[in-house]
Amino acid sequence: MQVNNSEFKPKIVAFCCNWCSYAGADLAGTNRLNYPADVKIIRVPCSCRVNPMFILRAFQRGADGVILCGCHPGDCHYTTGNYYTRRRMTLLFSMLDYLGIEKERTRVEWVSAAEGAKFAATMNDFVETVTKLGENKRLEDLRCKEK
Amino acid sequence: MLKLPIAKLDEFFAAIAAKETLYLPVDNEGGQAQYKEWKEGVSLSRALNTVRSAKDFFFPQTENLMEFKTQGKAIEVIDSRKESEDFVIFGVRACDARSFTILDKVFLVDPVDTYYKTRREHGTIISLACTRPEETCFCPLFGIDATEPEGDMRGWMTEDALYLEPVTEKGTALAQALGDLLEDADAAPVEEQKENTKKILEKLPFSKLDMEEFNGDNLLKLFDSPKWAGLSEACLGCGTCTFVCPTCQCYDIRDFNTGHGIQRFRCWDSCMYSDFTRMAHGNPRLTQLERFRQRFMHKLVYFPSNNDGEYGCVGCGRCLSKCPISMNIVKVIKTLGEDK
Amino acid sequence: MQRIGVFICHCGTNIAATVDVKAVAEALKHEPGVVFSTDYPYMCSEAGQNIVKDAIRDYHLSGVVICSCSPRMHEATFRKAAAVAGLNPYMVEIANIREQCSWIHKDIPQATEKAITLGKAAIAKVHLNAPLYAGESPVVKRALVIGGGIAGIQTALDIADAGFPVDIVETKPTIGGKMTQLDKTFPTLDCAACILTPKMVDCAQNENIKIYSYSEVTDVKGFVGNFTVTIKRKARYVDETKCTGCGICTEKCPMKKVPNEFNLGMNNRSAVYIPFAQAVPKVATIDPEHCNMLKKGKCGLCAKVCTAGAIDYKQKDEFIEEQYGAIVVATGYNPINLDKFDEFAYSQSKDVITSLEFERLTNAAGPTSGTLLRPSDGKHPHTIVFVQCVGSRDTSGCGKEYCSKICCMYTAKHAMLTREKYPDTDVYVFYIDVRTPGKSFDEFYRRAVEQYGVHYIKGMVGKIVPQADGTLAVQASDLLDNKQLHINADLVVLAAAIEPDKSARPLATMLTASMDTNDFFTEAHPKLRPVESPTAGVFLSGTCQGPKDIPETVSQAGAAASKVIGLLCKDKLTCNPCVAHSDEWMCNGCSACEKVCPYGAITYEDKEFRMPDRTTAIRRVAIVNEAVCQGCGACTVACPSGAMDLKGFSNSQIMAEVDAICK
Amino acid sequence: MQREMIERAKALLADGTVNRVIGWKAGEFDYDITPAVFTTAEELDAGFLYNDLCAANLSKYLIKESRKEGKILAFLKPCDTYSFSQLLKEHRIWRDHVYVIGVPCEGKVDVDTVKSKGITGICSMRCDGETVRVETLYGEESIKKDEAMADRCLNCKSKKHVVYDELMGEEGDVLDSHRFDMVEKLENMTPDERFAFWRGELSRCIRCNACRNVCPACTCEKCVFDNDASGIAQKAAVDSFEENMFHIIRAFHVAGRCTDCGECSRVCPQNIPLHLLNRKFIKDIDELYGEYQAGADPDTKPPLNTFTQEDAEPSVIYERGGNK
């Protein structure tokens, strides 16, 4: 399923943990499962490496959506990393929502190394959601817009 | 003396706004006054003064200077200055009106700060006499008459009318442009108001502080005073006093990578900050005591020494009411002044 | 400014068919710092690697970006190539333009544009890379085996044979594990004790092996090559060094009504006991819950009769700390609790037993000295029903979803042995499927059916109702004949599912080793690294990893041993250089990082600093043990000041990637 | 109380238990009180003050003060003891260099709140039971005390001292406050309304850093926003994004550590209700991970540095209130 977004192309940053989700993304590739090219992946050792600063930075620089993928809770390569991620991101997303920033622009999804199909489906769904929301206006830095 | 019935105030604002952008003090969500652009429905704040001073109009908190774009090894420099438009600031109090003179002494002397100069040239100031000064006001200490503020045009607001008096060419031109909206008037009500206000100004607790001690001759004595330690010990090192001050003029120049180029901008800096004037070798003032001392020595000693005795303070009282720990220039003057 | 070389791989047509590789090479050539950009059909080939190496030398590259397949595939390849050419291997970054680009996008302009963006992100990152150097950590040449069953024993023996000291920690008073309770073993029907007990004795006699019986691991610190393990030696109130195992105390002990766990409670033992005759170490243990002397301070008989003077009522739990280079988990299994299986009347009737209890009933050293007698009345059973898959392959939620793997074979064994010894007995086996893959396994099962006349019935037992006459009414369905069956049995044997020992979960937490939802330890790779845990230095042996029979357990035990030996042979280990690092000038000493570190890699130190204002200050700062840190980065986010950063994935590197992607 | 405190301080100075005292010093008017360190009985007599206007939380000063030679006597209000305890937990204060005397607090009168009632030219302000008598340049005024208090005192969370060496006056209790009412009100708005609300508030930020510098949880040796190497250093809120960024990250960095002392909102020259950001995190933590009061006890793990396997998924925020 390729999302039909002929006009607005969202910029999506996906942080993927090296051990599960990045491998899941690789598996999606190996299985030739399509998802929009708007998704660009940044490899991090563990989802717990992702600092809220990175997420805000992405929005500042023009991202329209940021998704964070990690191992399923309990399966973290580092045993506990994603549990911290879960708390941190829950609070961060809740704060963004509190400030009136569309909460659908941020997401956490647990994708294992075996879930190539889930990875592709997740990305398709996320791109579709963000495309519907349109451009990120509430957390943008006008200086970073291309003039 | 010109007069505008108070009922016609909106009409007056509209007439100015039709020509130029008009800014005036407006109550904000925080329950305080702030300069905002006048639009239909916006009303003048009743507050004595704004939290941020009027210096923002000529020396904004941030200002883009230029942009660099690189293509391969070529660098293109783009001037970020926008075409300046004329604007009018209404409701500037005497203290802020005087602050422009002080800022001019910094920015308009050689080398002239052209960014500042351009804004100055495009701005017309309509000042407004005070009628209800606060306990924190001490402008009389610096020879400022709050009943007769400086500006391109000065005004007095009574219960039923706004009295105006053009002072400069710019002010006269503006008055003429407004034409028949303003009528000639007798100055008596203004004089009466001035008298009343002066009585209150007399009572202000800090309007007669002893400033004798603060001159260049005492520089080292003041600098070495052991009292700075006690004065500065509670200082949080925040920039509140600096940023609400109408005469603080220090700025930092920074580069911001926009992803498409480098935006060079300047922004207010505060001598209270630990990285103020940091250089390659490090910071010249390592402790908060030194930083605190710098701010007051500058306003009370260095600046007057270089500017014919004019202090770098206009007595607006903003720092008195806004300092988180209630340490301020008045306490400094009183404490150090004792050592005569 | 770095001098960066960019290398675009075609991967044959894998990349080149969807990504315009020439366009990518051309576009990236103009990025800041890029001094060389090229493409090649197979970058990972020797010729391709040579292009990289030559460019590093010819263009004095300080950074390399390879746009190719996933870094999980060839990052190591290119890092090695860079190292050969004299470039620090950590100055190489991979842009994944195959799995995450060419393979998932069909539109060539789109895929090309994305490949360029990914390349730019990698370039942006490499600009901020710094050479990293792997540290080294010494290897303690001693192994710990947790669990003294056949898995632990075999692993320990193999490691000891290679010349390394190895300690076994066993919670029970003796090593031997479940296998000591078994009677015969399938499919050869040799006696379990006969093949196990010599190995137990070997352990006891091997100079390299030290057995901590009646002991538990209570704390594990450290990391591969250098674990510090706290072992709790539970007080057994008998001095192991003095006890000769003569057994007089057990005979004289007046408290003889303690259910004997070795015989699964089917007979009794004394309060001071030796689990069984061939126990290793063969020393007595006083059970504090039943000993009158320990409970009430009255008795003391065993001390009086002990000629060796080994009894010590004042003995306390002892904690010892030992260093190990490697840890093998061999915690084994237990049959599941059958409380949730009321329909089988396990708790209501003594004559409904588990297969393990059946083993004891047929074992010469068991409660009946090997004669098969009903536990309720001691009579010989004439009709025996075996029920398979009790709690295995159970999706109802009462049992386990997995297959316990060993039940089909041991039930065939039980049925066959019963028919052989007691030909007058009718034996029924109810099964869902009979699974007998394995050498000589199916032949064994067929012998049970064909030669010994065991009635195998495909179907499940629905209910077992104890009758007034002492028999058990078994209601079952025969799925093949599609009919209901009613059998009056004298004895019912349940093939209870097996599950990991309860000690495994807390142990996994201590070891920071991962487990699956069933509490079986997870292997580092299900196919390629089946005996290693993902936690470096922790290895898996036996049923703690999944259900296994004895030969499989022994072969896995040997495999784990060989991995341990491989590790202990090294004098030093190279550490992952992509680890956390704290800038001590920015550190607040708040301990947030320490709290989230799963490896205990962060400690604190009060250090003296010469401050910029020329004063001296003592500041509490975090210190990362680079050999312990695994580089997850949890600490970097917990740190509010940003003092803690991760090498190779630094804040600025990740933000540079973000910037490049969002541009 | 003030007299008693001065006497006790003098006694502790005299017997050598402490060599300094941190407290509040009288200013020009009754309300402009400055935290100060006193070293002699004379200094105490001349300037030491404690009344219903002494609002500053002194705990943060003890980071530096406790590292100096000798012991310092600190008078801490209930609120301040929470901050103090949290700082101890984070190893920021050398406990054995501080002698803590807990002093009661009946809620502090806030001059900005009084001014917001239209009273100007305040030259003197005295609490007289439940009434605040104000002398102004324009005559005398009076106002009820609870109308003169800031939100943080009206919604006081606790009158209990969580840590002290000695207590003066009666010990109070942890209170049931309505401190989350405003957070809830915001949560019940539509996202658009919330966005408008916070834009209106945060757009006034002048990045003076008063909130950060006064905050007893913000104790970094170098703040990320001052550190050019952090990549997010800012000196001025150049853009609406930076206003958001600064306040979100600051709130996040103190999440689970903020004791809700309310100093941030007290000192904000622009009257931005910054405590509503911190309270949001506190409320979320309470609701999602169980009640947690930072500073209340020395042992519990900060909620962001721990977890349970059953924690809510981040998707919980899609379902939770706040999207009506």
Side-chain angles (χ1 to χ4, degrees):
Chain A
M1 179 193 76
Q2 187 89 30
V3 179
N4 184 11
N5 50 351
S6 48
E7 284 171 5
F8 169 61
K9 293 272 211 190
K11 279 181 183 168
I12 308 282
V13 177
F15 290 100
C16 289
C17 83
N18 182 48
W19 305 96
C20 285
S21 306
Y22 195 89
D26 277 354
L27 184 62
T30 311
N31 293 339
R32 312 296 198 272
L33 302 172
N34 289 16
Y35 55 87
D38 312 315
V39 177
K40 313 280 194 313
I41 294 170
I42 294 178
R43 185 165 70 125
V44 285
C46 175
S47 61
C48 70
R49 175 67 189 92
V50 178
N51 196 310
M53 288 190 321
F54 304 162
I55 293 173
L56 296 181
R57 175 77 162 216
F59 284 122
Q60 176 188 29
R61 299 287 154 160
D64 300 300
V66 179
I67 184 165
L68 178 50
C69 298
C71 309
H72 286 270
D75 291 349
C76 177
H77 177 77
Y78 305 99
T79 338
T80 52
N82 49 9
Y83 289 124
Y84 296 119
T85 308
R86 195 160 64 171
R87 284 203 170 186
R88 290 167 183 164
M89 294 307 142
T90 305
L91 289 183
L92 176 71
F93 295 176
S94 179
M95 178 56 76
L96 293 178
D97 175 43
Y98 185 63
L99 293 175
I101 294 151
E102 304 95 334
K103 52 188 162 192
E104 296 83 0
R105 292 195 189 279
T106 45
R107 191 184 287 186
V108 167
E109 203 73 56
W110 312 122
V111 181
S112 80
E115 293 175 323
K118 181 178 177 186
F119 185 87
T122 300
M123 291 306 148
N124 279 315
D125 182 67
F126 188 60
V127 171
E128 199 185 317
T129 308
V130 175
T131 307
K132 273 185 203 147
L133 283 174
E135 222 181 317
N136 161 36
K137 288 273 180 204
R138 295 197 167 171
L139 205 52
E140 66 181 351
D141 190 329
L142 291 170
R143 295 170 298 175
C144 301
K145 297 271 165 194
E146 189 137 35
K147 283 159 201 155
Chain B
M1 186 73 58
L2 299 165
K3 179 183 168 184
L4 175 87
I6 214 81
K8 283 191 175 175
L9 197 59
D10 268 344
E11 212 178 308
F12 168 73
F13 290 149
I16 299 175
K19 283 174 78 253
E20 303 170 22
T21 316
L22 167 66
Y23 299 96
L24 75 176
V26 172
D27 285 332
N28 63 24
E29 294 89 336
Q32 304 186 111
Q34 164 186 8
Y35 281 104
K36 279 191 179 168
E37 191 183 335
W38 185 87
K39 288 197 176 78
E40 192 71 46
V42 167
S43 53
L44 180 68
S45 170
R46 317 260 312 158
L48 175 68
N49 215 343
T50 52
V51 176
R52 289 170 73 150
S53 79
K55 80 173 170 189
D56 298 35
F57 291 103
F58 307 118
F59 174 46
Q61 182 160 20
T62 64
E63 182 172 31
N64 287 336
L65 303 179
M66 61 193 80
E67 202 178 340
F68 309 107
K69 279 189 186 284
T70 52
Q71 189 81 52
K73 289 197 168 58
I75 299 178
E76 187 192 355
V77 181
I78 305 156
D79 193 339
S80 300
R81 235 178 301 216
K82 289 200 196 86
E83 267 309 298
S84 274
E85 287 172 3
D86 289 342
F87 63 93
V88 175
I89 328 166
F90 178 86
V92 175
R93 298 296 184 181
C95 46
D96 283 9
R98 169 66 65 83
S99 77
F100 305 142
T101 329
I102 294 174
L103 293 176
D104 287 350
K105 288 183 175 165
V106 176
F107 290 119
L108 296 184
V109 294
D110 199 43
V112 171
D113 185 312
T114 55
Y115 294 86
Y116 177 85
K117 184 165 179 266
T118 313
R119 289 178 195 271
R120 261 319 242 137
E121 284 164 0
H122 284 86
T124 305
I125 299 152
I126 307 178
S127 58
L128 202 57
C130 301
T131 56
R132 259 182 92 87
E134 293 265 19
E135 77 280 10
T136 50
C137 293
F138 56 110
C139 61
L141 185 60
F142 303 106
I144 298 167
D145 184 355
T147 66
E148 187 97 6
E150 298 161 9
D152 294 310
M153 196 191 294
R154 58 174 73 109
W156 294 263
M157 187 91 83
T158 65
E159 276 189 15
D160 50 3
L162 170 67
Y163 294 87
L164 292 164
E165 181 183 43
V167 181
T168 64
E169 273 177 36
K170 258 195 222 167
T172 312
L174 180 63
Q176 278 168 0
L178 293 168
D180 46 2
L181 202 57
L182 306 174
E183 50 196 74
D184 281 328
D186 174 22
V190 169
E191 291 308 320
E192 189 193 330
Q193 187 198 65
K194 282 187 187 173
E195 283 311 304
N196 288 335
T197 309
K198 276 180 178 157
K199 279 181 204 153
I200 304 164
L201 289 170
E202 279 294 305
K203 287 201 287 181
L204 288 179
F206 308 137
S207 58
K208 296 186 190 77
L209 296 174
D210 186 352
M211 297 297 286
E212 205 182 313
E213 190 69 0
F214 299 95
N215 57 65
D217 297 339
N218 282 338
L219 192 150
L220 281 178
K221 180 188 166 199
L222 288 166
F223 188 89
D224 292 330
S225 169
K227 292 190 171 176
W228 291 111
L231 288 167
S232 67
E233 79 184 340
C235 178
L236 298 172
C238 73
T240 308
C241 51
T242 323
F243 290 176
V244 297
C245 179
T247 67
C248 271
Q249 73 279 134
C250 293
Y251 59 83
D252 193 6
I253 295 181
R254 307 203 138 216
D255 286 345
F256 176 76
N257 185 346
T258 64
H260 313 288
I262 304 295
Q263 183 80 61
R264 174 160 293 179
F265 66 102
R266 71 168 167 199
C267 62
W268 293 351
D269 204 346
S270 171
C271 49
M272 292 294 191
Y273 288 169
S274 56
D275 61 349
F276 181 72
T277 60
R278 193 184 63 202
M279 293 164 267
H281 85 283
N283 201 316
R285 286 178 281 272
L286 294 166
T287 62
Q288 199 57 35
L289 184 153
E290 293 164 281
R291 298 192 274 267
F292 182 93
R293 178 174 60 193
Q294 166 65 20
R295 181 159 195 275
F296 296 103
M297 285 296 283
H298 182 231
K299 289 202 181 303
L300 300 172
V301 183
Y302 310 150
F303 194 83
S305 301
N306 294 328
N307 292 281
D308 313 319
E310 173 134 28
Y311 291 106
C313 176
V314 292
C316 71
R318 286 183 176 92
C319 56
L320 273 68
S321 61
K322 289 303 177 190
C323 175
I325 54 126
S326 299
M327 179 47 66
N328 51 54
I329 194 161
V330 166
K331 289 184 180 176
V332 169
I333 292 171
K334 282 190 155 188
T335 309
L336 295 175
E338 281 170 6
D339 293 340
K340 255 193 321 194
Chain C
M1 179 74 100
Q2 306 273 19
R3 292 178 61 83
I4 298 166
V6 180
F7 303 86
I8 324 289
C9 179
H10 301 193
C11 196
T13 56
N14 279 305
I15 292 171
T18 341
V19 170
D20 181 346
V21 284
K22 300 268 179 220
V24 175
E26 178 56 29
L28 297 183
K29 189 178 268 173
H30 302 291
E31 281 298 289
V34 174
V35 293
F36 180 76
S37 177
T38 190
D39 59 284
Y40 188 74
Y42 289 102
M43 224 44 153
C44 61
S45 68
E46 205 175 325
Q49 289 186 49
N50 284 336
I51 293 176
V52 178
K53 289 179 203 164
D54 291 345
I56 290 172
R57 293 190 194 100
D58 296 350
Y59 292 87
H60 309 289
L61 299 182
S62 64
V64 165
V65 168
I66 316 263
C67 299
S68 63
C69 55
S70 172
R72 294 170 55 85
M73 201 78 141
H74 277 307
E75 189 174 55
T77 312
F78 293 112
R79 278 183 175 170
K80 256 183 216 157
V84 169
L87 183 68
N88 184 287
Y90 295 92
M91 298 305 292
V92 177
E93 288 294 332
I94 311 283
N96 184 344
I97 61 164
R98 193 179 75 173
E99 282 85 347
Q100 293 175 7
C101 189
S102 71
W103 277 354
I104 44 170
H105 307 310
K106 294 203 174 77
D107 182 55
I108 294 177
Q110 245 187 31
T112 306
E113 194 194 321
K114 178 169 172 180
I116 292 170
T117 306
L118 294 176
K120 285 180 178 175
I123 292 166
K125 186 177 182 196
V126 105
H127 265 293
L128 298 164
N129 279 22
L132 300 179
Y133 302 93
E136 285 182 334
S137 68
V139 178
V140 176
K141 294 187 179 287
R142 171 186 285 270
L144 171 68
V145 175
I146 304 172
I150 179 62
I153 289 172
Q154 186 62 48
T155 306
L157 285 172
D158 288 353
I159 297 170
D161 275 353
F164 294 105
V166 50
D167 295 352
I168 300 176
V169 171
E170 169 59 52
T171 53
K172 304 239 160 54
T174 172
I175 60 166
K178 287 284 170 308
M179 195 172 161
T180 56
Q181 294 171 289
L182 305 183
D183 183 32
K184 301 278 193 299
T185 55
F186 60 78
T188 49
L189 296 181
D190 38 6
C191 142
C194 311
I195 54 176
L196 174 65
T197 49
K199 280 189 184 288
M200 290 163 63
V201 174
D202 282 353
C203 282
Q205 290 174 348
N206 194 313
E207 282 180 355
N208 280 331
I209 299 180
K210 190 164 174 188
I211 299 169
Y212 292 108
S213 62
Y214 209 50
S215 301
E216 283 165 16
V217 170
T218 56
D219 190 39
V220 181
K221 286 202 178 73
F223 50 96
V224 56
N226 207 346
F227 293 103
T228 304
V229 178
T230 309
I231 298 166
K232 174 179 160 186
R233 306 202 65 184
K234 292 182 280 185
R236 69 199 310 163
Y237 306 103
V238 172
D239 187 336
E240 255 181 69
T241 56
K242 291 182 184 161
C243 177
T244 58
C246 68
I248 292 176
C249 53
T250 67
E251 282 165 27
K252 299 290 181 197
C253 177
M255 181 61 209
K256 289 224 154 47
K257 291 222 167 123
V258 186
N260 183 356
E261 47 281 86
F262 183 68
N263 282 329
L264 304 159
M266 289 189 295
N267 68 350
N268 291 332
R269 61 160 169 82
S270 45
V272 56
Y273 67 104
I274 295 171
F276 55 94
Q278 297 90 348
V280 169
K282 195 169 179 194
V283 287
T285 304
I286 299 179
D287 177 347
E289 285 186 23
H290 296 98
C291 170
N292 279 333
M293 187 65 192
L294 291 171
K295 274 167 67 190
K296 300 172 190 155
K298 286 182 203 153
C299 185
L301 206 58
C302 48
K304 282 179 203 136
V305 301
C306 181
T307 50
I311 306 289
D312 175 9
Y313 299 117
K314 295 212 170 70
Q315 208 174 56
K316 291 258 155 11
D317 290 352
E318 187 191 348
F319 289 86
I320 53 171
E321 215 176 74
E322 280 283 359
Q323 308 285 322
Y324 299 102
I327 297 177
V328 182
V329 181
T331 44
Y333 75 95
N334 277 307
I336 60 165
N337 185 310
L338 293 175
D339 285 350
K340 283 186 186 161
F341 295 89
D342 262 357
E343 65 270 30
F344 297 137
Y346 178 74
S347 55
Q348 298 154 42
S349 170
K350 279 188 164 177
D351 298 330
V352 180
I353 61 173
T354 65
S355 302
L356 195 57
E357 287 163 355
F358 187 87
E359 291 280 350
R360 295 311 302 150
L361 282 183
T362 54
N363 189 297
T368 56
S369 304
T371 317
L372 182 58
L373 299 173
R374 275 162 46 116
S376 60
D377 52 12
K379 288 184 185 154
H380 175 66
H382 293 283
T383 307
I384 304 180
V385 169
F386 287 89
V387 186
Q388 297 281 73
C389 289
V390 177
S392 296
R393 304 172 68 196
D394 183 331
T395 49
S396 73
C398 294
K400 305 291 181 187
E401 286 189 17
Y402 52 84
C403 167
S404 293
K405 196 170 184 179
I406 54 177
C407 326
C408 286
M409 286 304 291
Y410 70 59
T411 300
K413 174 188 80 179
H414 291 163
M416 189 190 285
L417 289 171
T418 307
R419 290 282 297 155
E420 186 176 74
K421 262 180 143 175
Y422 312 102
D424 60 334
T425 311
D426 274 334
V427 175
Y428 298 88
V429 177
F430 286 91
Y431 68 95
I432 307 176
D433 295 293
V434 175
R435 296 180 164 178
T436 54
K439 193 175 171 185
S440 306
F441 282 12
D442 204 56
E443 296 89 319
F444 184 81
Y445 154 64
R446 280 210 311 275
R447 244 162 68 211
V449 181
E450 290 161 9
Q451 209 173 318
Y452 288 92
V454 177
H455 306 295
Y456 266 79
I457 299 164
K458 185 175 174 73
M460 269 309 283
V461 171
K463 202 166 172 57
I464 295 168
V465 186
Q467 303 295 301
D469 63 354
T471 61
L472 298 157
V474 178
Q475 301 168 18
S477 51
D478 180 336
L479 293 177
L480 293 180
D481 281 357
N482 197 16
K483 64 179 180 192
Q484 290 296 311
L485 292 178
H486 296 274
I487 297 169
N488 262 5
D490 299 316
L491 188 68
V492 173
V493 184
L494 305 177
I498 60 172
E499 65 179 2
D501 191 78
K502 293 274 179 277
S503 64
R505 174 59 69 177
L507 183 65
T509 311
M510 280 185 253
L511 292 168
T512 67
S514 53
M515 285 190 139
D516 65 18
T517 49
N518 293 312
D519 279 5
F520 286 115
F521 279 86
T522 313
E523 55 280 11
H525 190 284
K527 293 171 188 66
L528 304 176
R529 296 172 68 193
V531 300
E532 290 155 85
S533 138
T535 305
V538 175
F539 303 88
L540 309 174
S541 176
T543 46
C544 67
Q545 180 260 346
K548 279 176 198 63
D549 61 23
I550 294 167
E552 266 186 302
T553 297
V554 170
S555 54
Q556 200 203 16
S562 79
K563 289 283 171 193
V564 171
I565 295 161
L567 170 63
L568 297 188
C569 279
K570 292 178 186 157
D571 291 324
K572 284 194 159 133
L573 295 173
T574 3
C575 312
N576 167 24
C578 296
V579 291
H581 175 77
S582 172
D583 179 338
E584 54 186 31
W585 279 104
M586 289 206 289
C587 176
N588 304 326
C590 73
S591 279
C593 53
E594 180 201 23
K595 291 194 178 79
V596 298
C597 179
Y599 306 100
I602 301 168
T603 50
Y604 285 85
E605 212 174 278
D606 283 326
K607 273 178 90 168
E608 199 174 284
F609 286 82
R610 182 90 177 133
M611 304 303 283
D613 62 359
R614 297 172 214 93
T615 56
T616 305
I618 307 254
R619 295 177 48 230
R620 183 175 193 268
V621 291
I623 313 275
V624 179
N625 183 338
E626 299 203 343
V628 185
C629 176
Q630 300 289 307
C632 68
C635 53
T636 61
V637 184
C639 178
S641 69
M644 195 62 89
D645 210 346
L646 189 63
K647 292 181 197 167
F649 292 95
S650 68
N651 287 334
S652 53
Q653 283 176 314
I654 295 175
M655 282 198 275
E657 285 181 273
V658 168
D659 290 1
I661 284 176
C662 295
K663 219 169 186 175
Chain D
M1 178 57 65
Q2 178 181 318
R3 204 58 246 157
E4 215 179 305
M5 286 161 72
I6 292 174
E7 289 315 316
R8 188 68 190 123
K10 283 182 187 169
L12 289 167
L13 278 175
D15 70 14
T17 309
V18 300
N19 63 4
R20 290 159 296 142
V21 179
I22 186 164
W24 300 267
K25 191 176 178 181
E28 297 298 324
F29 309 110
D30 292 313
Y31 64 80
D32 59 336
I33 296 158
T34 303
V37 174
F38 306 83
T39 49
T40 62
E42 294 71 46
E43 282 177 16
L44 285 164
D45 280 330
F48 185 94
L49 189 73
Y50 187 67
N51 59 26
D52 286 345
L53 287 151
C54 295
N57 181 343
L58 303 180
S59 59
K60 192 178 185 180
Y61 289 109
L62 295 168
I63 297 173
K64 272 201 174 148
E65 288 300 328
S66 74
R67 283 164 160 76
K68 293 181 182 165
E69 196 72 30
K71 214 169 189 176
I72 185 165
L73 165 61
F75 289 106
L76 299 181
K77 295 173 273 132
C79 238
D80 309 356
T81 63
Y82 282 84
S83 309
F84 183 79
S85 155
Q86 182 64 26
L87 285 165
L88 285 181
K89 203 166 167 171
E90 294 171 10
H91 311 275
R92 303 291 286 143
I93 289 176
W94 295 9
R95 180 68 179 89
D96 47 1
H97 281 203
V98 188
Y99 189 89
V100 177
I101 296 185
V103 290
C105 171
E106 295 305 321
K108 298 299 176 193
V109 170
D110 177 56
V111 69
D112 286 329
T113 310
V114 175
K115 283 185 182 170
S116 74
K117 305 286 194 255
I119 302 175
T120 62
I122 302 169
C123 294
S124 163
M125 199 150 72
R126 300 270 157 170
C127 274
D128 184 1
E130 288 309 299
T131 314
V132 181
R133 305 210 182 279
V134 189
E135 263 176 53
T136 79
L137 292 169
Y138 307 100
E140 281 192 27
E141 304 247 12
S142 75
I143 181 172
K144 279 194 191 146
K145 191 182 168 193
D146 54 8
E147 282 171 22
M149 290 199 292
D151 175 69
R152 64 166 181 169
C153 293
L154 292 172
N155 289 308
C156 177
K157 63 180 180 291
S158 174
K159 301 256 184 245
K160 186 181 160 206
H161 298 82
V162 292
V163 54
Y164 54 83
D165 296 305
E166 193 178 303
L167 205 59
M168 282 192 168
E170 296 270 296
E171 175 65 312
D173 295 314
V174 176
L175 306 176
D176 283 326
S177 71
H178 292 278
R179 58 183 174 142
F180 298 121
D181 287 2
M182 185 58 193
V183 176
E184 211 161 285
K185 196 176 145 197
L186 283 167
E187 286 172 344
N188 287 326
M189 290 179 175
T190 65
D192 290 350
E193 288 166 344
R194 281 199 297 273
F195 184 71
F197 172 85
W198 282 113
R199 244 4 358 265
E201 296 294 339
L202 296 180
S203 64
R204 297 202 304 279
C205 175
I206 54 170
R207 274 309 299 283
C208 64
N209 291 315
C211 52
R212 181 193 71 186
N213 290 13
V214 82
C215 177
C218 272
T219 66
C220 285
E221 296 284 316
K222 193 176 191 110
C223 176
V224 282
F225 290 104
D226 286 348
N227 179 4
D228 288 327
S230 76
I232 61 161
Q234 307 165 2
K235 204 158 225 173
V238 175
D239 188 274
S240 67
F241 172 82
E242 290 197 337
E243 291 155 5
N244 283 323
M245 175 84 163
F246 176 77
H247 291 289
I248 294 172
I249 294 295
R250 202 185 87 77
F252 190 83
H253 280 178
V254 301
R257 303 166 55 231
C258 165
T259 64
D260 201 10
C261 72
E263 287 284 271
C264 47
S265 292
R266 179 180 71 87
V267 302
C268 178
Q270 290 281 36
N271 292 356
I272 303 172
L274 294 163
H275 65 285
L276 292 178
L277 294 173
N278 302 321
R279 276 194 186 156
K280 168 64 175 167
F281 275 142
I282 297 173
K283 183 170 180 281
D284 276 351
I285 288 168
D286 281 353
E287 286 171 3
L288 293 166
Y289 312 123
E291 296 268 319
Y292 182 84
Q293 171 59 51
D297 71 274
D299 303 316
T300 42
K301 264 192 166 187
L304 273 169
N305 294 342
T306 184
F307 62 86
T308 70
Q309 290 178 355
E310 296 76 32
D311 280 346
E313 292 294 328
S315 58
V316 72
I317 65 137
Y318 303 117
E319 296 122 34
R320 279 168 97 229
N323 201 21
K324 285 154 217 160

